[in-house]
Amino acid sequence: MSRSIGTRSQLAFLSLPAVIFTTAMIAFPFAYTVWFSLHEYSIGAKPRFNFGMNYVELADDGEFWNGLRITLLLYLLSLALQLVLGTWVALLLHNARKLSGIVRTLMISPFVLPPVVVGMMWLVLLDPSIGAVNYLLQAAGLPRSDWLASPVWVIPTVALIDTWQWTPFVALIVLGGLQSLPPSVYEAAQIDGASRSKTFWRITLPLLMPTLVTAAILRSVDLLRFFDIIYITTQGGPGNASNTLNIYGFRKGFEFFEIGYSSALMITLSAIVLGAVLLLVQARKRVAW
């Protein structure tokens, strides 16, 4: 017993430098951003403490509320699509056990691509003049669309691009959940004569809820701070139609050099992400079995 305690103490001591380094790497940038958010500061000027007036200005900033609306809309639309399609793909992979490894790999490969590659690829495919998507629509007798250049279609289009990339990630998580479900429940349902649809809605889906909420937590962290795909494809345009909080904060900081105000935006966005994650964690506890 004493030897086990001594071994644990040694492991804790050896891991202490890594823990301190990791904590410092997270805490220092966050604390520095909080400090900037409490100051009026532009690049080239001396920081001036303004008693948190940056946060007061946020409440009167129409672009902030527009960015919040776009962020939440994109988040809800993308998350819903990815959970539904990810569950469908996971069920397909789970039931099609004879599916070749190459096909499985192709189905889950999009999320390993760099966001820059994904953004540039879809930028070409959705080009209003030479894009393959409009060509196929026209060949099918359907009207062409401006896609990323349309204020109406830009958010659904960006959501579909992100869904194309990250649905396989959700599918992998759900597939792991499916493979961990107890077979005895399905055997009992089969004996009772339950149909496939009833088995899914009354057994599979309720048992998968903890897994789905876990997938929602992981995707929420990325979706609420959506940046790379939007910046590559639209940079917040057309106009401000895809100007999420992350894009707005980036432009404020690195295009208009308002570092203090941009820091306040980022701290607010971090609080939103943290709040969403905490709510989903509580939801997961309620659906746990």
Side-chain angles (χ1 to χ4, degrees), residues 128-148:
S129 302
I130 62 172
V133 174
N134 273 341
Y135 173 80
L136 293 174
L137 287 176
Q138 193 171 19
L142 299 173
R144 301 164 68 93
S145 175
D146 290 334
W147 302 113
L148 294 168

Side-chain angles (χ1 to χ4, degrees), residues 31-41 47 50 54-55 259-261 263-264:
Y32 203 40
T33 305
V34 171
W35 183 84
F36 271 133
S37 73
L38 299 175
H39 290 73
E40 181 181 340
Y41 175 55
N50 64 358
N54 290 326
Y55 294 97
I259 302 300
Y261 193 74
S263 298

Side-chain angles (χ1 to χ4, degrees), residues 7 15 24 40 59 79 84 92 97 99 106 111 140 154 160 185 198 212 228 234 251 276 280:
T7 303
S15 62
E40 181 181 340
L79 186 63
V84 172
L92 178 64
R97 298 181 184 276
L99 207 61
L106 290 174
F111 79 89
V154 64
L160 287 173
V185 180
K198 286 186 177 180
L212 291 173
D228 36 31
T234 69
R251 294 177 65 182
L280 287 171

Side-chain angles (χ1 to χ4, degrees), residues 89 92-105 107:
V89 172
L92 178 64
L93 293 174
H94 183 66
N95 295 325
R97 298 181 184 276
K98 294 184 179 180
L99 207 61
S100 68
I102 296 177
V103 175
R104 286 173 177 262
T105 303
M107 290 183 71

